[in-house]
């Protein structure tokens, strides 16, 4: 992995480390990767404590993603589960299924990298970890829904939580369509 970054699937034993990654300030501390799992009304009504509790329950029930570490310190997270685990993906005009799309591919929906660990290859390691995580659970196709800062360089760090087109391209994904100028649907087939 890049710069000594190692990844593993999250589990009940990694919950405290995951809390460190999400922190107490900024967008990750409010989202806890529930944006794609809730209806808009439920999202608007949810408190930080409720979104944190929902992710806690999801981690206890299974493994909804991967965590990254550098020298044992938790530094990042990527959410990866089947498309069907994210109801909001099916409702979004950006990500809803089109004719010819695989019905239920695995989806990498977001990345969180602690501010002080950015630009050290953590997102690349997380994407590689997400691929392995999905493959180990039987995935044959995986998608990402990244933004394209080459088209709009002014994208903020907060807007890049989907990952970037170059990140996914470097991870072996191909653009299958462009639902907007700054967004892409990217896909990769996984070998067993």
């Amino acid at each position: 992995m890049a710069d000594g970054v190692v990844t593993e699937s999250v589990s009940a034993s990694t919950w405290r480390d995951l809390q460190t990654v999400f922190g107490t300030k900024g967008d990750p501390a409010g989202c806890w990767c529930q944006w794609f799992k809730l209806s808009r009304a439920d999202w608007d009504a949810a408190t930080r404590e409720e979104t944190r509790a929902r992710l806690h329950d999801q981690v206890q029930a299974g493994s909804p993603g991967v965590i990254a570490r550098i020298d044992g310190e938790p530094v990042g997270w990527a959410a990866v589960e089947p498309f069907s685990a994210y109801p909001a993906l099916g409702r979004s005009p950006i990500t809803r299924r089109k004719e010819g799309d695989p019905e239920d591919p695995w989806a990498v929906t977001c990345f969180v990298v602690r501010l002080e660990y950015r630009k050290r290859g953590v997102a690349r390691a997380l994407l590689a970890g997400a691929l392995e995580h999905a493959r180990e659970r039987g995935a044959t196709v995986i998608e990402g829904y990244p933004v394209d800062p080459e088209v709009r360089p002014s994208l903020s760090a907060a807007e890049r939580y989907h990952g970037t087109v170059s990140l996914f391209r470097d991870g072996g994904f191909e653009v299958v369509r462009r639902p907007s100028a700054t967004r892409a649907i990217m896909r990769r087939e996984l070998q067993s």
Side-chain angles (χ1 to χ4, degrees):
M1 293 289 165
D3 292 334
V5 182
V6 297
T7 62
E8 67 179 284
S9 298
V10 296
S11 65
S13 66
T14 60
W15 177 247
R16 284 193 189 278
D17 293 336
L18 202 52
Q19 287 178 289
T20 298
V21 170
F22 279 88
T24 59
K25 298 177 190 166
D27 293 333
C31 182
W32 292 86
C33 280
Q34 299 305 301
W35 171 255
F36 296 107
K37 293 195 171 201
L38 297 172
S39 70
R40 183 59 194 249
D42 288 342
W43 171 257
D44 288 344
T47 66
R48 285 181 180 223
E49 292 75 25
E50 290 167 338
T51 56
R52 182 180 62 237
R54 284 182 58 85
L55 183 58
H56 179 265
D57 292 347
Q58 291 156 12
V59 168
Q60 299 303 312
S63 187
V66 295
I67 191 168
R69 302 173 193 282
I70 295 177
D71 296 328
E73 181 68 21
V75 299
W77 148 267
V80 56
E81 291 184 274
F83 186 93
S84 58
Y86 302 110
L89 290 179
R91 293 189 302 268
S92 169
I94 298 284
T95 54
R96 88 172 44 113
R97 302 285 80 193
K98 303 275 188 204
E99 187 174 329
D101 282 346
E103 187 175 321
D104 197 20
W106 279 61
V108 181
T109 56
C110 76
F111 295 86
V112 175
V113 177
R114 290 171 55 195
L115 186 60
E116 61 272 29
Y117 291 96
R118 292 184 183 162
K119 301 203 183 286
R120 293 179 60 181
V122 174
R124 291 187 191 296
L126 284 165
L127 183 56
L131 288 167
E132 188 58 31
H133 173 89
R135 183 182 292 113
E136 288 171 355
R137 286 155 180 77
T140 57
V141 177
I142 190 165
E143 289 183 344
Y145 316 105
V147 296
D148 194 344
E150 292 174 18
V151 173
R152 192 173 130 219
S154 63
L155 286 166
S156 70
E159 292 173 295
R160 296 174 191 227
Y161 74 93
H162 299 287
T164 63
V165 168
S166 62
L167 170 69
F168 279 88
R169 187 181 310 117
D170 291 350
F173 288 70
E174 294 182 8
V175 173
V176 293
R177 74 176 160 273
R178 290 269 188 168
S180 76
T182 60
R183 295 292 299 278
I185 306 298
M186 298 184 74
R187 191 175 295 145
R188 178 176 166 178
E189 293 192 19
L190 298 176
Q191 306 299 321
S192 347

